[in-house]
Amino acid sequence: MAPPFAVAAVSSSSPLFSSSSHRRHPPLGSISVRPRHRTAVASAAATESAGKVLLEVHGLTASVKETGQQILKGVDLTVREGEVHAIMGKNGSGKSTLTKVLVGHPHYEVTGGTILFKGENLIDMEPEERSLAGLFMSFQAPIEIPGVSNYDFLLMAINARREKDGLPALGPLEFYSVVSQKVEALKMEPKILDRNVNEGFSGGERKRNEILQLSVRLL
């Protein structure tokens, strides 16, 4: 599996999605990820104007399951609707580990702390359940899935999400009218839907394809 590139929680308000604020945090490791100190008045005003909390990480510690090596050491992070958070740091500081722990990668074990996504405890969920809850992980090098067309892949993904939400499945023709708008908004060729997932794609096509997957999941 290719190393993860980023995990983002966003709200949909356009043909794709949009974000309204950008925050940057220090590297992970033995330090906690926390916002700068604010006065009580400023904090109250910011909370009132901020969006709904999507992701809450408190005191998260995690280790490599096979060796027991601790990587995350008390990470705190809060992501609200419309926000984009960039976590930066040197190699080995824990960026990839954090994303893998969030999506439930089996090579890592949570040893302390909590992870809430939309109020639900992620730690108790299987990776598939976390995906259906709305968590999406982008990859630095998205893998190919030979024999599976983009169209079938996207239709299966959206119907799995609709089933979880108690909604009827979309038929192929009904879904095409929806996904074609997303393809057009991304300035992709319509034939991208007939190609196998990432097979023979350029680097740029793979990244656009991931954005297409995310935009469909936000429906």
Side-chain angles (χ1 to χ4, degrees), residues 122-143:
L122 283 184
I123 298 176
D124 292 338
M125 296 183 185
E126 294 297 323
E128 293 81 5
E129 296 175 309
R130 301 182 194 203
S131 174
L132 291 176
L135 202 64
F136 182 93
M137 182 168 70
S138 175
F139 291 86
Q140 184 174 358
I143 62 173

Side-chain angles (χ1 to χ4, degrees), residues 24-117:
R24 183 171 295 176
H25 293 292
L28 301 181
S30 60
I31 61 174
S32 297
V33 180
R34 295 188 178 92
R36 293 180 179 177
H37 175 72
R38 299 177 179 176
T39 65
V41 174
S43 296
T47 300
E48 184 176 352
S49 62
K52 181 180 178 181
V53 173
L54 290 181
L55 176 68
E56 290 183 278
V57 179
H58 293 297
L60 180 64
T61 59
S63 304
V64 180
K65 185 173 293 186
E66 184 176 341
T67 65
Q69 179 186 5
Q70 187 177 25
I71 305 296
L72 303 183
K73 305 174 183 178
V75 176
D76 295 319
L77 175 64
T78 299
V79 179
R80 297 177 180 274
E81 283 186 345
E83 293 181 345
V84 175
H85 290 239
I87 300 174
M88 305 177 69
K90 63 182 181 180
N91 292 342
S93 60
K95 305 183 300 299
S96 294
T97 298
L98 175 60
T99 59
K100 290 180 179 180
V101 168
L102 290 178
V103 299
H105 196 291
H107 290 175
Y108 298 90
E109 180 179 14
V110 174
T111 55
T114 59
I115 310 173
L116 297 179
F117 183 66

Side-chain angles (χ1 to χ4, degrees), residues 154-164 167-171:
L154 294 171
L155 179 60
M156 181 173 58
I158 192 173
N159 280 337
R161 182 78 181 276
R162 290 176 66 86
E163 181 181 358
K164 176 183 181 296
L167 299 173
L170 295 179

Side-chain angles (χ1 to χ4, degrees), residues 147-217:
V148 179
S149 73
N150 256 334
Y151 187 81
D152 290 340
F153 180 84
L154 294 171
L155 179 60
M156 181 173 58
I158 192 173
N159 280 337
R161 182 78 181 276
R162 290 176 66 86
E163 181 181 358
K164 176 183 181 296
D165 294 337
L167 299 173
L170 295 179
L173 294 178
E174 185 180 9
F175 176 63
Y176 182 80
S177 65
V178 175
V179 72
S180 59
Q181 296 178 28
K182 303 293 185 181
V183 171
E184 183 180 356
L186 278 168
K187 302 186 185 305
M188 301 172 74
E189 294 291 335
K191 63 183 180 182
I192 199 78
L193 295 172
D194 298 324
R195 297 172 63 183
N196 292 338
V197 180
N198 295 326
E199 190 172 28
F201 283 25
S202 67
E205 286 178 325
R206 293 189 183 211
K207 298 315 296 182
R208 283 175 181 260
N209 204 38
E210 278 196 324
I211 297 173
L212 175 61
Q213 294 167 13
L214 177 56
S215 66
V216 168
R217 289 294 305 278

Side-chain angles (χ1 to χ4, degrees), residues 3 9 113 127 133 144:
E144 296 182 1

